[in-house]
């Protein structure tokens, strides 16, 4: 290039008339040479989507410094993330914790702009490794205003049907949860987010656990069937794929996360984050099967449980994380901690943070959900590696897994989001799907005080009916925890249809619907109602805040049942995340429906109450008589339930008014 430039100057001096022509010719040669050189210099193997992923990973890792590798292992909350933070600390991931949103009722544009701003910080680094943004989407895109909120997992676990002859064997139709997974993926992608912390495949063995509503069932066979939500979220893994390798079917899908590994649903007394005391055989046969299916279906990530197994914290359990999950099951995605998971390995949390980092990373955790004090973690892990407490082979394994997921997701080719999928958030099609899920999740526990005198389906045409209960006109109560806020909210916190609104839109135009949240028995008697619908249940909660040793329905629920059902024919619709104490009220009511936590589409409740569709749901959990029986699961020697696992009365759809 220097020679070409020198010659061009020389020629121009010798023969000025030819200067212009020669100058143009030689400059063309110069530009061509420069372009060829630049093109050769710019080709980077890891950025070439035509190169096999393993070679892209190898090429990129060979270029990475220790600082860049450790940065990939860090996940921080959006509240402490900025464009500059992502660039300066070379961070691999950002998340929205429960209720962590860019603004109250933030529209799609605000979400997309926030995620893209963080991403641009990552892309501006030396190697331009894109970050991955994750969010809890445990029953739809539940952090986001106006999203479709599906029934919580406990309700979806009721949607499977049972073989009539062999009632203990679920004959499963996984299509519904798969459709819900696909719909959730579209709504999450609409906000620019490619990764969800779902599904929860815990096997809840004690309803006193505050996360029981996140569990599909007490039966591992049902939970295994419900892992079909993973192909819904991620896409169907090709038939010839290597088992255990993460998969994503396109930019309308999201990376999933099977959680919480493992045994979180079996803790003593159902206490959240407590100790699961069980033999290895029991752990592998009850709590592990869902992970077998999840890995086979190409789940991208696995989240570790806060809980312990026989006194050993799962975040420190190398035997189960590295030896079993990664080696025996050949899981090739990445393992992520829970929120402040390594902090909580000690009591009090972070009491010996250096030990926690050493133990957690050595156990096989690849990405740490820190989520705030990220510099402490970076400094601590850097020290441990440089002092040879943690070998580079362990760091390389973690980073290789993280990069594999990012390459599989197409993040290097499609790092930035746009508004092209905005139409999917809260779409009518998704709301109709949620309404279908509500209908199929309802479990009819009682229908008439006498078997030959059923109350349901209710007549649409009546002179006057009463709707009562604090849950009848409350979207927040219908949805439960993990909705808009971590602990959920009371009131109409997002767009949807309350049970009351659904009833009003379903009954005959000539039927008067009167709503009283907590009516007196005198009021009920004096109004001569044709019948009453009482909607009561639990208040929203999540995680430890939902732990309950008594499992009673909070007041005024029991009082409303007594005052209304003692004065008029009534059906009680119970809104709860688990079986609760109802034995004292069963004799007082004419009909009893377990509606679980149905989400935003309350119309699904009315569809079945009034006979447009029949009741088909079956109990995914044993309904106990008293809490003294707990834990009690199907197959136990002391099994004596109020309603057994798999129970559920049916009705035939009716056109009668």
């Amino acid at each position: 290039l220097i020679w070409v430039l020198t010659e061009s100057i020389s020629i121009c001096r010798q023969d000025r008339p030819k200067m212009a022509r020669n100058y143009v010719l030689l400059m063309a040669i110069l530009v061509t040479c420069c372009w060829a050189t630049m093109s050769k210099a710019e080709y980077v193997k890891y950025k070439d989507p035509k190169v096999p992923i393993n070679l892209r990973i190898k090429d990129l890792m060979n270029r990475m410094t220790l600082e860049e590798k450790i940065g990939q292992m860090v996940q921080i909350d959006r509240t402490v993330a900025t464009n500059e933070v992502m660039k300066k600390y070379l961070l691999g991931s950002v998340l929205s914790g429960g209720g962590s949103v860019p603004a109250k009722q933030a529209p799609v544009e605000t979400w997309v702009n926030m995620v893209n701003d963080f991403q641009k910080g990552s892309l501006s680094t030396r190697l331009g490794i894109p970050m991955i943004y994750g969010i809890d989407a445990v029953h739809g895109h539940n952090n986001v205003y106006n999203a479709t909120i599906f029934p919580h997992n406990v309700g979806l676990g009721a949607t499977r049907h049972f073989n009539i002859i062999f009632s203990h064997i679920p004959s499963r139709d996984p299509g519904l949860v798969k459709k819900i997974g696909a719909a959730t993926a579209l709504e999450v992608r609409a906000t620019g987010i490619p990764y969800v912390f779902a599904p929860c495949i815990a096997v809840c063995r004690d309803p006193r656990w505050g996360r029981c509503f996140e569990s599909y069932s007490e039966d591992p066979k049902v939970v295994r069937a419900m892992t079909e939500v993973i192909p819904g979220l991620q896409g169907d893994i090709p038939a010839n794929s290597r088992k255990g390798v993460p998969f994503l079917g396109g930019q309308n899908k999201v990376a999933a996360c099977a959680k919480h590994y493992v045994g979180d649903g079996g803790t003593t007394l159902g206490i959240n984050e407590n100790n699961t005391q069980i033999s290895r055989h029991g752990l592998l046969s009850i709590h592990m099967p869902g992970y077998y299916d999840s890995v086979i279906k190409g789940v991208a990530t696995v989240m570790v449980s806060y809980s312990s197994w026989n006194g050993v914290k799962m975040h420190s359990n190398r035997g189960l994380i590295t030896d079993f999950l990664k080696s025996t099951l050949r899981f090739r995605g990445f393992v992520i901690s829970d929120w402040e998971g390594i902090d909580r390995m000690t009591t009090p949390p972070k009491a010996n943070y250096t030990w926690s980092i050493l133990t957690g990373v050595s156990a096989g955790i690849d990405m740490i959900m820190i989520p705030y004090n990220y510099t402490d973690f970076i400094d601590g892990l850097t020290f441990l590696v440089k002092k040879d407490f943690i070998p580079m082979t362990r760091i390389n394994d973690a980073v290789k897994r993280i990069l594999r997921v990012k390459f599989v997701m197409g993040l290097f080719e499609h790092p930035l989001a746009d508004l092209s999928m905005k139409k999917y958030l809260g779409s009518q099609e998704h709301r109709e799907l949620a309404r279908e899920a509500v209908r199929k999740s309802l479990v009819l526990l009682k229908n008439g005080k006498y078997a030959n005198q059923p109350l349901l389906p209710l007549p649409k045409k009546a002179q006057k009916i009463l709707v009562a209960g604090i849950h009848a006109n409350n979207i927040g109560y219908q949805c439960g925890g993990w909705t808009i806020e971590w602990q959920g909210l009371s009131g109409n916190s997002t767009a949807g249809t309350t049970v009351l609104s659904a009833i009003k839109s379903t009954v005959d135009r000539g039927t008067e619907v009167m709503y009283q949240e907590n009516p007196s028995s005198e009021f009920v008697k004096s109004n001569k109602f044709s019948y009453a619908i009482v909607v009561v249940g639990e208040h929203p909660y999540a995680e430890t805040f939902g732990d309950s040793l008594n499992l009673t329905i909070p007041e005024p629920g029991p009082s409303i049942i007594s005052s209304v059902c003692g004065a008029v024919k009534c059906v009680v619709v119970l809104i709860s995340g688990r079986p609760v104490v109802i034995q004292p009220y069963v004799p007082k009511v004419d009909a009893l429906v377990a509606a679980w936590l149905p989400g935003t589409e309350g119309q699904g409740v009315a569809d079945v109450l009034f006979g447009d569709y029949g009741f088909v749901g079956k109990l995914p959990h044993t309904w106990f008589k008293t809490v003294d029986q707990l834990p009690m699961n199907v197959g136990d020697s002391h099994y004596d339930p109020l309603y057994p696992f798999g129970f559920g009365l049916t009705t035939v759809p009716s056109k009668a008014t």
Side-chain angles (χ1 to χ4, degrees):
L1 292 177
I2 294 172
W3 176 84
V4 172
L5 184 58
T6 303
E7 286 299 303
S8 67
I9 294 171
S10 175
I11 291 171
C12 289
R13 285 174 176 172
Q14 293 172 15
D15 192 353
R16 290 183 181 275
K18 296 181 180 179
M19 179 176 68
R21 185 172 65 254
N22 291 333
Y23 182 80
V24 171
L25 176 63
L26 291 168
M27 286 306 295
I29 296 172
L30 176 64
V31 170
T32 302
C33 292
C34 288
W35 179 256
T37 304
M38 290 172 63
S39 298
K40 186 176 181 180
E42 284 182 356
Y43 177 78
V44 179
K45 186 180 288 186
Y46 75 84
K47 293 184 177 181
D48 186 350
K50 296 179 182 178
V51 174
I53 286 178
N54 284 342
L55 296 181
R56 297 177 75 183
I57 295 170
K58 183 178 180 181
D59 179 67
L60 177 52
M61 290 191 65
N62 285 339
R63 301 169 187 268
M64 295 175 72
T65 64
L66 176 61
E67 181 185 16
E68 287 166 329
K69 289 179 178 179
I70 288 176
Q72 285 299 301
M73 299 172 67
V74 175
Q75 184 180 70
I76 63 172
D77 188 75
R78 52 155 293 279
T79 55
V80 295
T82 65
N83 181 293
E84 284 302 312
V85 165
M86 301 305 294
K87 181 178 181 179
K88 179 178 179 180
Y89 293 98
L90 309 164
L91 304 182
S93 184
V94 181
L95 84 150
S96 278
S100 181
V101 298
K104 186 176 181 181
Q105 299 185 5
V108 166
E109 292 83 355
T110 303
W111 280 96
V112 169
N113 290 339
M114 176 193 69
V115 175
N116 280 349
D117 185 53
F118 298 149
Q119 188 67 282
K120 288 173 183 176
S122 295
L123 297 177
S124 68
T125 58
R126 182 178 73 93
L127 296 173
I129 304 173
M131 67 89 188
I132 180 173
Y133 197 104
I135 195 167
D136 286 284
V138 297
H139 61 141
H141 200 6
N142 48 262
N143 270 317
V144 177
Y145 182 78
N146 204 39
T148 307
I149 306 300
F150 294 92
H152 266 297
N153 287 355
V154 64
L156 297 181
T159 63
R160 83 269 183 252
H161 303 286
F162 276 73
N163 184 290
I164 295 174
I165 299 175
F166 303 104
S167 61
H168 65 289
I169 303 175
S171 68
R172 305 176 282 270
D173 176 12
L176 181 62
V177 290
K178 186 175 182 180
K179 290 177 183 177
I180 289 172
T184 300
L186 289 173
E187 298 208 16
V188 172
R189 279 286 190 175
T191 56
I193 298 172
Y195 175 33
V196 298
F197 306 124
C200 177
I201 54 173
V203 181
C204 176
R205 304 291 282 179
D206 192 327
R208 291 174 290 188
W209 186 37
R211 305 192 77 158
C212 203
F213 66 79
E214 297 182 56
S215 168
Y216 292 109
S217 178
E218 71 184 45
D219 184 351
K221 294 189 295 295
V222 174
V223 175
R224 292 187 74 171
M226 293 301 164
T227 60
E228 195 63 12
V229 70
I230 293 171
L233 292 164
Q234 296 190 161
D236 288 303
I237 189 168
N240 59 348
S241 295
R242 289 178 58 199
K243 303 305 181 186
V245 177
F247 174 78
L248 196 79
Q251 296 307 298
N252 61 344
K253 298 296 183 179
V254 293
C257 179
K259 66 181 188 182
H260 306 84
Y261 185 82
V262 60
D264 50 339
T267 59
T268 302
L269 300 177
I271 298 172
N272 192 41
E273 305 178 22
N274 200 15
N275 186 34
T276 297
Q277 293 182 296
I278 194 171
S279 67
R280 184 177 181 85
H281 173 75
L283 185 79
L284 298 184
S285 62
I286 295 174
H287 298 285
M288 191 67 78
Y291 292 95
Y292 304 152
D293 292 74
S294 298
V295 171
I296 288 172
K297 292 173 182 178
V299 72
T301 70
V302 171
M303 183 183 293
V304 182
S305 176
Y306 289 125
S307 60
S308 303
W309 175 45
N310 294 337
V312 179
K313 287 279 189 181
M314 276 307 307
H315 276 72
S316 69
N317 199 319
R318 179 180 172 86
L320 286 176
I321 297 173
T322 296
D323 298 341
F324 193 83
L325 178 63
K326 291 184 175 182
S327 298
T328 302
L329 299 188
R330 301 188 64 78
F331 172 63
R332 293 294 179 263
F334 70 77
V335 176
I336 186 169
S337 80
D338 207 333
W339 178 279
E340 294 182 338
I342 63 169
D343 301 49
R344 301 191 196 184
M345 289 167 64
T346 58
T347 305
K350 213 174 180 181
N352 187 344
Y353 198 49
T354 301
W355 176 85
S356 295
I357 296 171
L358 172 63
T359 306
V361 173
S362 298
I365 301 173
D366 303 310
M367 182 178 284
I368 313 299
M369 190 185 295
I370 292 175
Y372 301 124
N373 300 314
Y374 53 92
T375 55
D376 291 350
F377 174 81
I378 291 171
D379 293 343
L381 182 54
T382 302
F383 169 82
L384 289 167
V385 174
K386 288 184 174 180
K387 296 298 183 181
D388 295 326
F389 289 102
I390 296 177
M392 274 305 300
T393 52
R394 171 75 273 271
I395 301 301
N396 288 337
D397 173 65
V399 177
K400 180 187 297 184
R401 291 169 176 275
I402 293 165
L403 293 178
R404 180 180 292 122
V405 170
K406 290 184 176 184
F407 279 121
V408 164
M409 293 174 68
L411 274 176
F412 284 80
E413 291 72 49
H414 307 282
L416 298 174
D418 56 35
L419 300 176
S420 61
M421 301 182 76
K422 177 181 177 180
K423 62 183 178 181
Y424 293 114
L425 187 75
S427 71
Q428 189 57 40
E429 181 182 354
H430 293 170
R431 292 189 183 278
E432 288 299 324
L433 177 63
R435 180 176 172 179
E436 176 190 353
V438 173
R439 291 195 297 261
K440 293 180 176 179
S441 70
L442 302 178
V443 179
L444 182 57
L445 299 176
K446 181 179 181 180
N447 190 16
K449 291 191 175 179
Y450 304 99
N452 61 348
Q453 297 178 18
L455 178 61
L456 299 173
L458 296 168
K460 294 180 182 179
K461 191 172 184 179
Q463 184 175 352
K464 183 167 57 174
I465 67 175
L466 172 66
V467 179
I470 62 174
H471 289 63
N473 195 34
N474 196 312
I475 289 286
Y477 280 6
Q478 281 177 209
C479 293
W482 287 111
T483 310
I484 304 300
E485 297 282 354
W486 173 40
Q487 293 295 319
L489 293 168
S490 175
N492 295 329
S493 53
T494 191
T497 304
T498 66
V499 175
L500 175 62
S501 297
I503 291 169
K504 288 181 176 179
S505 66
T506 302
V507 297
D508 186 84
R509 290 183 179 181
T511 300
E512 180 185 353
V513 179
M514 185 174 290
Y515 174 59
Q516 281 279 320
E517 194 173 83
N518 188 3
S520 65
S521 58
E522 291 75 17
F523 172 84
V524 178
K525 291 175 182 177
S526 65
N527 272 277
K528 299 181 180 179
F529 294 107
S530 301
Y531 56 83
I533 302 171
V534 177
V535 191
V536 294
E538 294 187 297
H539 298 156
Y541 55 80
E543 301 192 35
T544 305
F545 292 91
D547 286 354
S548 172
L549 294 178
N550 56 49
L551 291 177
T552 54
I553 302 171
E555 287 289 351
S559 298
I560 296 172
I561 293 173
S562 297
S563 60
V564 174
C565 297
V568 67
K569 286 189 297 183
C570 80
V571 53
V572 171
V573 177
L574 187 61
I575 306 293
S576 70
R578 55 196 166 186
V580 292
V581 175
I582 59 170
Q583 188 177 33
Y585 317 116
V586 172
K588 302 177 183 179
V589 307
D590 295 275
L592 179 61
V593 177
W596 314 110
L597 298 170
T600 52
E601 306 313 302
Q603 188 64 51
V605 176
D607 287 343
V608 183
L609 287 180
F610 291 96
D612 291 331
Y613 295 82
F615 281 91
V616 295
K618 304 297 180 184
L619 286 181
H621 294 275
T622 297
W623 209 296
F624 58 89
K625 293 177 180 176
T626 68
V627 293
D628 295 335
Q629 296 176 296
L630 300 176
M632 178 177 64
N633 296 282
V634 62
D636 288 349
S637 58
H638 67 291
Y639 199 68
D640 182 27
L642 180 63
Y643 299 109
F645 170 81
F647 179 83
L649 302 174
T650 59
T651 59
V652 177
S654 172
K655 298 297 182 181
T657 58

